[in-house]
Amino acid sequence: AVPNVCTEAGQRCVDADKSATSIMDWRCECVDPQTGVAVTTGVATCEHNECEGENGGGRVCGEAMPPQTCRDRSLSVGDWECVCPAGAMGPAGQQRPAVCTYTAECEDYGHVCTAAGQVCEDPDNAVAGDWLCRCPP
C-alpha cells in the first residue's frame, strides 16, 4: 500500500473527483480543532489556536474577573494562558485565569484624593476600579 501523506501529517485526504480522468487533484485538509489552508497534492498548513472556539481558552480568560486576554504561544496542545489586562499585573495563568493585582491604582489616581486633602485606598488589589478617597484619620 502507498502511504498517504495527508494521514501521516494528521490531516484528511480529500479527492472530490475520483474518476480515472481526474488525476492530481487531491488535497490535504486540516482536522478539527486545527484550521488552515488546504493544498492541492500536498500537506496543508495547519494551525491550532487553543484560544478560539466555544470551549477554547478565550472563553475562560474572557469570563475571568477582570476579563483577560488568551494567548496561545505555539502549535502545541495545552499551552494557552490567560494574561492580565492593561493596568493590572500578575503571572499568566496556565490554562486558567491569571491572578491579577492593581497595585498601581492609587499611584495612578491618588492625586485626585491628595488634591482634595484625602488619602487613596485600594481595598482589594484583585479588583479593578475599586480605589477610593478617605478623609485622613
Side-chain angles (χ1 to χ4, degrees):
V2 177
N4 184 315
V5 295
C6 299
T7 305
E8 288 177 355
Q11 300 174 8
R12 172 179 41 249
C13 182
V14 176
D15 186 3
D17 186 350
K18 295 180 176 68
S19 68
T21 57
S22 175
I23 57 171
M24 300 305 288
D25 63 343
W26 59 272
R27 68 183 181 277
C28 294
E29 292 182 346
C30 303
V31 178
D32 281 339
Q34 296 184 334
T35 58
V37 179
V39 177
T40 303
T41 67
V43 176
T45 303
C46 301
E47 295 180 351
H48 180 196
N49 185 344
E50 294 177 286
C51 291
E52 296 176 354
E54 184 177 312
N55 295 315
R59 182 185 58 78
V60 172
C61 299
E63 290 176 356
M65 287 310 292
Q68 301 169 16
T69 302
C70 182
R71 179 172 56 196
D72 190 7
R73 295 177 172 247
S74 72
L75 297 178
S76 298
V77 175
D79 66 341
W80 62 271
E81 58 190 15
C82 295
V83 181
C84 294
M89 298 183 332
Q94 302 299 313
Q95 298 184 33
R96 60 179 171 71
V99 177
C100 304
T101 57
Y102 293 86
T103 56
E105 282 193 308
C106 282
E107 287 178 27
D108 292 342
Y109 306 110
H111 66 279
V112 174
C113 301
T114 304
Q118 300 177 11
V119 293
C120 180
E121 288 186 12
D122 188 0
D124 188 345
N125 285 341
V127 176
D130 68 335
W131 64 275
L132 48 93
C133 297
R134 289 204 190 275
C135 294

